[in-house]
Amino acid sequence: MAESTTQRTGPAPVLWIQIGALVLGTLMFLYGLVGFWPSFAPAGPDGQQSTLLGIECNALRCALQVLLGVIGWAAASRAPAARGYGWLLAVVNAVFVVVGIIGVANPDADPLAMNVPAVVVAGAFALLGLVLALVPLRRQIPGGDDVPAED
């Protein structure tokens, strides 16, 4: 007796992790792109870099954020790549947080020109990256329970 196998045709389903990578990549890209505008203005009389909505802007940090955004767009094509992007986002933004804390404590040793609001935003992106990296994927089986999906 021959077993009949049914193969699904059509595009693969888009998982939430891929949409999350796309959204976070877009947010990171826009955050970096908008930060370029005030980052090229001369420093103020107190030596502080220009700010946008209270967040200090730096051309190097903005370039890294734009690059992270583009990587997020590319990673949104596959679930394993999106999970890897979550790890990348978490690690890079955790480094931004550490450098920002050092910079807030000693403004002369701050190559990324980060103030407290910039550190908070980097921390938020790091946490969102951890969500992408660590939250398990679930797939609904018709007539059954949720089962972990393969990455």
Side-chain angles (χ1 to χ4, degrees), residues 37-58:
W37 172 56
S39 67
F40 291 115
D46 57 353
Q48 292 290 326
Q49 184 69 29
S50 298
T51 61
L52 180 66
L53 298 174
I55 300 171
E56 279 191 55
C57 298
N58 178 286

Side-chain angles (χ1 to χ4, degrees), residues 42-138:
D46 57 353
Q48 292 290 326
Q49 184 69 29
S50 298
T51 61
L52 180 66
L53 298 174
I55 300 171
E56 279 191 55
C57 298
N58 178 286
L60 174 62
R61 192 174 77 239
C62 290
L64 291 172
Q65 290 165 340
V66 166
L67 179 64
L68 281 173
V70 171
I71 292 170
W73 291 341
S77 63
R78 295 180 32 143
R83 190 165 300 282
Y85 175 67
W87 281 113
L88 177 69
L89 202 62
V91 169
V92 170
N93 280 292
V95 169
F96 283 170
V97 167
V98 170
V99 169
I101 290 171
I102 292 170
V104 168
N106 183 8
D108 294 333
D110 190 11
L112 297 178
M114 294 183 71
N115 59 355
V116 173
V119 171
V120 170
V121 170
F125 273 114
L127 290 176
L128 290 171
L130 283 176
V131 167
L132 278 182
L134 296 175
V135 173
L137 298 173
R138 294 282 184 196

